[in-house]
Amino acid sequence: IEMEHVRWMLGMSNLNMVLQRAEKKPSENILHRCMFEHGDITYAKYFDPFTHVYMFDIGFPPKLFKQLADMFNRSHSPYLICYHGPRLMIDRYGFNIELIVQAPTSMHGSSEGHMGYIYRRVQASKSLSKEDNEEDEDDEDEGDKENQRRMMSSRKQSKNNKKSMSKSTSKRTPQGKKDKDCRVVLEGGVLSDPLFVKAWKSTRRELTPLLNDVRAEVLNNLSSCRPTRTRKRKSASLTAL
């Protein structure tokens, strides 16, 4: 998925050439289950149905990284490929992943060099470690005494709390609730975010109809006319001069 129209058209043009080659040279067994979507990834809530999520994340702002981390953690995608190390991806942004391998890469067009990272999904740890459990057992006695001290003060405040609660419940907003699962069930029980349904269905078709659609999309965008400028007519006084 690509937000900028120029980059999206560049991808579609390359895809068109690949599909044409696949149609002319069937003996080469060129796979064609690929599609470029023109859109905004922030409109999605899940990365499903993708198994491998690739992000050219050089220059991504922190706010976007955190949103992508939430999307990845609630999805089923097993793998993530990007250009940031574990210190940022795991420690700062909270992706539920572990590093598999890293390797230096070079961009084909610009020859820029970046370190690439391949991650695997891991389950978020919900259980406490052994050290945490031992500390909790040592603090149980002190916690019980502290709870007894607070019982008396909490009883005194209960009446005031009931009054304030009765006034505030009508104004309370449903914060903290989980977002409704908006994923669509596709063929074979595959779950997909609504943003990717159209592209996924396109990749399920045979080579020829997919090529026709991609070619038409490219031609329509390349042949679109630029807006013409209209010049205002000069006034009679100016033309006379």
Side-chain angles (χ1 to χ4, degrees), residues 125-227:
S125 177
K126 297 182 180 180
S127 60
L128 296 174
S129 63
K130 293 182 179 180
E131 295 180 357
D132 293 334
N133 289 330
E134 291 176 357
E135 291 179 359
D136 291 341
E137 290 177 359
D138 294 337
D139 295 337
E140 276 185 358
D141 295 336
E142 295 181 1
D144 291 339
K145 294 179 181 179
E146 184 66 22
N147 290 334
Q148 290 178 359
R149 297 191 192 100
R150 293 177 180 176
M151 284 293 291
M152 296 301 295
S153 60
S154 63
R155 289 175 181 174
K156 293 180 182 179
Q157 294 177 355
S158 61
K159 294 182 180 180
N160 295 331
N161 289 339
K162 289 180 180 179
K163 293 180 180 179
S164 61
M165 285 290 289
S166 61
K167 295 179 180 180
S168 60
T169 48
S170 59
K171 301 179 181 179
R172 188 174 299 174
T173 56
Q175 296 179 353
K177 291 186 177 180
K178 295 182 179 180
D179 294 334
K180 184 178 180 180
D181 193 338
C182 61
R183 286 175 291 185
V184 179
V185 180
L186 301 175
E187 180 182 354
V190 177
L191 295 176
S192 174
D193 189 277
L195 186 62
F196 311 129
V197 171
K198 180 181 177 182
W200 187 90
K201 290 183 177 180
S202 296
T203 61
R204 301 297 98 185
R205 293 179 297 172
E206 297 298 330
L207 172 60
T208 301
L210 178 61
L211 172 59
N212 293 336
D213 287 351
V214 172
R215 182 189 291 123
E217 193 75 48
V218 172
L219 293 177
N220 290 336
N221 281 270
L222 292 180
S223 61
S224 59
C225 299
R226 295 179 58 186

Side-chain angles (χ1 to χ4, degrees), residues 15 19 31-36 199 202-203 210 214:
L15 178 60
L19 296 179
L31 302 180
H32 64 276
R33 299 195 183 281
C34 179
M35 178 56 66
F36 293 95
S202 296
T203 61
L210 178 61
V214 172

Side-chain angles (χ1 to χ4, degrees), residues 3-159:
M3 180 184 295
E4 294 189 9
H5 185 269
V6 174
R7 293 181 179 178
W8 171 68
M9 275 308 306
L10 178 61
M12 291 292 287
S13 298
N14 291 332
L15 178 60
N16 183 42
M17 299 298 294
V18 172
L19 296 179
Q20 288 181 11
R21 177 76 178 188
E23 187 180 47
K24 294 179 181 179
K25 302 288 184 179
S27 60
E28 296 182 2
N29 295 324
I30 300 176
L31 302 180
H32 64 276
R33 299 195 183 281
C34 179
M35 178 56 66
F36 293 95
E37 185 73 15
H38 185 215
D40 189 345
I41 191 62
T42 60
Y43 290 166
K45 292 185 178 181
Y46 301 88
F47 279 114
D48 298 325
F50 303 115
T51 57
H52 295 67
V53 178
Y54 170 81
M55 304 188 303
F56 187 73
D57 53 0
I58 304 299
F60 279 15
K63 183 178 180 180
L64 177 58
F65 266 117
K66 293 178 180 178
Q67 182 175 352
L68 295 176
D70 292 338
M71 288 174 54
F72 186 86
N73 293 343
R74 70 167 69 103
S75 305
H76 294 99
S77 307
Y79 298 101
L80 174 68
I81 303 99
C82 66
Y83 295 91
H84 283 82
R87 184 176 180 182
L88 289 177
M89 300 299 291
I90 300 175
D91 298 340
R92 177 178 295 185
Y93 300 126
F95 282 85
N96 294 334
I97 52 178
E98 62 180 1
L99 180 64
I100 300 176
V101 66
Q102 66 183 68
T105 63
S106 178
M107 303 296 103
H108 177 71
S110 62
S111 299
E112 293 183 13
H114 300 288
M115 183 64 69
Y117 301 87
I118 301 179
Y119 296 94
R120 179 193 298 114
R121 169 185 299 279
V122 295
Q123 296 297 328
S125 177
K126 297 182 180 180
S127 60
L128 296 174
S129 63
K130 293 182 179 180
E131 295 180 357
D132 293 334
N133 289 330
E134 291 176 357
E135 291 179 359
D136 291 341
E137 290 177 359
D138 294 337
D139 295 337
E140 276 185 358
D141 295 336
E142 295 181 1
D144 291 339
K145 294 179 181 179
E146 184 66 22
N147 290 334
Q148 290 178 359
R149 297 191 192 100
R150 293 177 180 176
M151 284 293 291
M152 296 301 295
S153 60
S154 63
R155 289 175 181 174
K156 293 180 182 179
Q157 294 177 355
S158 61
K159 294 182 180 180

